[in-house]
Amino acid sequence: MRIEVSKECISKGIFVKHTEVIGVNNGKGTLETELREVEEKFRKTDPASLKDVPTVRVYRDFYWSLGIDPTKTRPSGEALRRRIARSGKLPRINDIVDAGNVVSASTLISIGIYDLKKISGEPRITLSSGGEKFDGIGNKSEVLPPGIPIMVDGVGNVMHIFPHRDSIITSVSDSTRDVLIVGAGVRGIAEREVEEAVKETARLLSNLGGKVVHDVC
């Protein structure tokens, strides 16, 4: 699979790294050791200090450039770190989602994981024209204004608002076995960091019986 990034999005500093993993034995609780290790490592984090971490700072600056207040809508890695600091725990959803959360909390890189069987055609990242429907996970449907970076599939379904919100349409469920992993990069974050985060997510899923389809690209 190839993900196209439009010239308009490239000009905003947007890039992605991705791969696909198929045949994952998606259960629950298999990654408990990894989850606990991350929780233990970051349990004593001072939430106020996160704003000074370079990766968080870069994502926050990108959010501000889109008109999004990152103190209200947190970058995903920061949100997970804050959750650990607040409650000492990461959520337990299923093994595939948990793998993404382990890596995102560890690296602060935004990781999206999508059910391959729910994706039509090849995704692309573009700016919204205005009027697109977005069915966010855990949120009501909304109509998007123009100029928002989004990832859409080949028939125009909005899979993701870059780089922080995923759609229920292509979300991972307990029955998901084949996935697309996407690392969200923005100007100021090294491509190598995003690539390594995607590789680590794929590695965790390969430990669950998954086959990595191709190198991260």
Side-chain angles (χ1 to χ4, degrees), residues 5 41 44 52 78 99 119 136 179 216:
V5 181
K41 185 175 182 179
K44 296 181 181 179
D52 300 318
E78 179 187 356
I119 301 171
V179 297
V216 175

Side-chain angles (χ1 to χ4, degrees), residues 165-185:
R165 294 179 64 194
D166 290 328
S167 169
I168 193 70
I169 293 175
T170 49
S171 64
V172 171
S173 68
D174 291 351
S175 63
T176 297
R177 299 195 68 210
D178 305 332
V179 297
L180 167 67
I181 306 168
V182 181

